[in-house]
Amino acid sequence: MTDLIGRRLVLAEDDEDIRETTALLLTRHGFTVTAVQDGVEALTAIEQEHPDAVILDIAMPRLDGLALVRRLGDSAPPVIFLTARDLPSDVVHGLSLGADDYIAKPFDADVLVARIEAVIRRANRGAAPEEPIDGVTLDRHGKAVYRDGNAVAVSATEYRVLEALLDNRGNVLSRSQIVDLAWDSSWQDDRVVDTNVQRLRKKLGPDVIETVRGFGYRIPRVPL
């Protein structure tokens, strides 16, 4: 079970079927969802409800998702674009405006939930730059990893895999979910996850990342 049950979301989607289906699946995962059909209604809901995260389509009537993010500015809660626009230039533009994540339709429900949980956790960490993992410290500001206070050299991909698992600590992530979270792309061979996990274990210790046979990997909530 997620430790984010009851977290408030605003979902803005002008397609009624997609809106209702997405709201239902998020509700089933324990979120409290306010579903609206355009950017103007989303703006009102955000101002009134102060949600933990906002899920926005881009192409919406009256006020589109991009314009809404611009209007919210630095006061915006964590924002995830959920849109059919999947060109690299679209992704770059959306993130450059200040969105915390960008997911193209059609989407995997488990990946969507995992990414919502990740952006909420990052927001809740505030200014704290370090997070301990049973003797391992992840410095998110400096993109650095330490073991018992000593710096450990990790590659960019190893860091992203470790961060993805930490953002979902206690939850089992499949290899394909880790690929989606760490690379934001489905072209990667799932075996690249195994390679990076093996390297992280050699550098950080065998008990930092647990294998759940038949399912994937996780960082346990309680140290092994």
Side-chain angles (χ1 to χ4, degrees):
M1 292 290 290
T2 177
D3 60 352
L4 296 174
I5 291 175
R7 293 290 188 175
R8 300 184 304 278
L9 304 177
V10 169
L11 168 67
E13 167 62 63
D14 65 320
D15 184 293
E16 183 177 1
D17 290 338
I18 296 176
R19 183 172 66 251
E20 291 181 354
T21 300
T22 305
L24 179 60
L25 79 86
L26 293 174
T27 300
R28 287 176 174 172
H29 278 82
F31 295 102
T32 299
V33 183
T34 298
V36 298
Q37 62 183 352
D38 60 46
V40 173
E41 291 184 3
L43 181 61
T44 300
I46 292 167
E47 292 174 343
Q48 292 179 347
E49 300 185 20
H50 306 288
D52 296 287
V54 180
I55 317 301
L56 294 179
D57 189 13
I58 289 180
M60 296 187 294
R62 297 206 289 172
L63 184 67
D64 67 35
L66 298 174
L68 175 56
V69 171
R70 289 193 196 96
R71 181 173 296 189
L72 290 170
D74 294 337
S75 65
V79 171
I80 298 176
F81 281 127
L82 185 62
T83 174
R85 298 185 182 181
D86 58 357
L87 293 177
S89 58
D90 294 324
V91 178
V92 170
H93 184 47
L95 294 175
S96 69
L97 289 177
D100 297 84
D101 208 341
Y102 193 109
I103 303 175
K105 301 172 186 175
F107 61 90
D108 179 89
D110 290 334
V111 170
L112 174 61
V113 170
R115 290 194 173 185
I116 293 171
E117 292 177 332
V119 300
I120 292 175
R121 286 194 181 96
R122 285 197 292 270
N124 288 344
R125 272 191 289 272
E130 299 182 349
E131 179 147 348
I133 318 168
D134 192 23
V136 176
T137 301
L138 189 68
D139 181 350
R140 293 174 183 270
H141 292 177
K143 301 296 182 183
V145 179
Y146 299 86
R147 175 79 195 192
D148 298 326
N150 299 311
V152 178
V154 297
S155 68
T157 53
E158 290 164 2
Y159 180 91
R160 290 196 300 268
V161 169
L162 184 63
E163 187 175 48
L165 288 165
L166 179 59
D167 283 339
N168 295 277
R169 187 168 188 172
N171 298 320
V172 180
L173 296 183
S174 68
R175 290 168 177 82
S176 60
Q177 287 175 322
I178 295 173
V179 166
D180 284 328
L181 292 168
W183 282 274
D184 195 24
S185 172
S186 60
W187 65 265
Q188 292 281 357
D189 189 322
D190 285 359
R191 288 173 295 182
V192 75
V193 174
D194 298 331
T195 299
N196 281 277
V197 167
Q198 290 169 9
R199 290 173 179 168
L200 286 168
R201 284 172 171 164
K202 288 180 180 179
K203 295 177 178 180
L204 304 177
D207 294 339
V208 172
I209 300 174
E210 177 185 6
T211 298
V212 181
R213 295 191 180 280
F215 294 96
Y217 298 104
R218 71 179 169 195
I219 291 177
R221 292 191 186 282
V222 179
L224 293 174

